[in-house]
Amino acid sequence: MRASYIGLFLLLAVTLVTAGCGFHLRSAQTLPVGSSYVHIIAGKQTAPLEKSVLARMKVYQINSGSQALDGEAASTISVKLQPEKLDRRLLSVFATGQVAEYELIYGVRFTATYPDGNQITQQFEVLREYQDDPKQVLAKSRELNLVLSEMRTEAADRIIRIISNQQ
């Protein structure tokens, strides 16, 4: 009997601590009330990001596409992606003077227009550290492509969270 009280007390304590620090479970992303479709507008320079956003919208089961739906303008959110930007910042070098480590900075800017005419423009950066090894050029090239893909996925998730949380 005493063990069950201790277990109950521990469960209550853990619950209070996690709730007190602001932790909460994330649910599936949903669109604001009155919106049922997201139209992604992208240029040639943002095609990889557009593909990531559309793929992530499928994961969240949000109706979206790169084509506007006829007759759905009253419930469509339009998201215009600006050209993505990738910069590198030097973090460290080898004793030989060759670059050992970079910080990759992936910049995203977009404008979302809601059915009620409200418009927001947001920009943010996704950061990653990337270690370079001149002896393994091919492997590092593939790793860089994988890191960029992960950064685009993170940016897509962030875009979806931003447009979902606007009222």
Side-chain angles (χ1 to χ4, degrees), residues 7-25:
L8 184 61
F9 175 74
L10 286 175
L11 178 64
L12 182 63
V14 168
T15 304
L16 289 174
V17 167
T18 55
C21 73
F23 174 81
H24 62 280
L25 294 174

Side-chain angles (χ1 to χ4, degrees), residues 4-167:
S4 65
Y5 284 129
I6 292 173
L8 184 61
F9 175 74
L10 286 175
L11 178 64
L12 182 63
V14 168
T15 304
L16 289 174
V17 167
T18 55
C21 73
F23 174 81
H24 62 280
L25 294 174
R26 260 195 211 166
S27 60
Q29 298 295 329
T30 58
L31 295 177
V33 176
S35 302
S36 63
Y37 183 78
V38 179
H39 175 213
I40 306 297
I41 304 164
K44 199 175 192 180
Q45 304 94 334
T46 56
L49 180 59
E50 176 189 18
K51 288 178 185 175
S52 290
V53 171
L54 291 171
R56 296 306 292 171
M57 292 226 180
K58 281 185 182 178
V59 169
Y60 292 120
Q61 299 176 347
I62 295 174
N63 192 12
S64 63
S66 55
Q67 301 294 322
L69 294 180
D70 294 332
E72 294 290 326
S75 63
T76 297
I77 299 173
S78 295
V79 177
K80 183 174 183 184
L81 302 173
Q82 303 297 324
E84 58 191 9
K85 186 177 175 187
L86 181 66
D87 289 325
R88 291 195 258 192
R89 185 178 307 145
L90 179 68
L91 293 179
S92 64
V93 293
F94 291 116
T96 60
Q98 290 181 315
V99 176
E101 192 175 19
Y102 289 107
E103 180 178 50
L104 298 174
I105 305 164
Y106 181 71
V108 175
R109 182 179 166 95
F110 71 95
T111 301
T113 306
Y114 293 87
D116 63 1
N118 189 20
Q119 190 175 54
I120 62 164
T121 299
Q122 292 277 328
Q123 71 180 46
F124 59 87
E125 294 176 340
V126 177
L127 306 174
R128 290 285 188 287
E129 289 183 11
Y130 174 74
Q131 295 178 350
D132 201 7
D133 186 356
K135 297 176 186 169
Q136 298 178 352
V137 175
L138 184 58
K140 285 300 185 176
S141 173
R142 289 182 180 160
E143 181 184 352
L144 179 60
N145 288 336
L146 181 63
V147 169
L148 287 174
S149 175
E150 290 173 355
M151 292 172 82
R152 283 188 185 105
T153 300
E154 183 178 329
D157 283 341
R158 207 156 161 191
I159 289 169
I160 293 167
R161 274 195 310 274
I162 290 169
I163 65 171
S164 296
N165 292 330
Q166 296 298 317
Q167 299 297 338

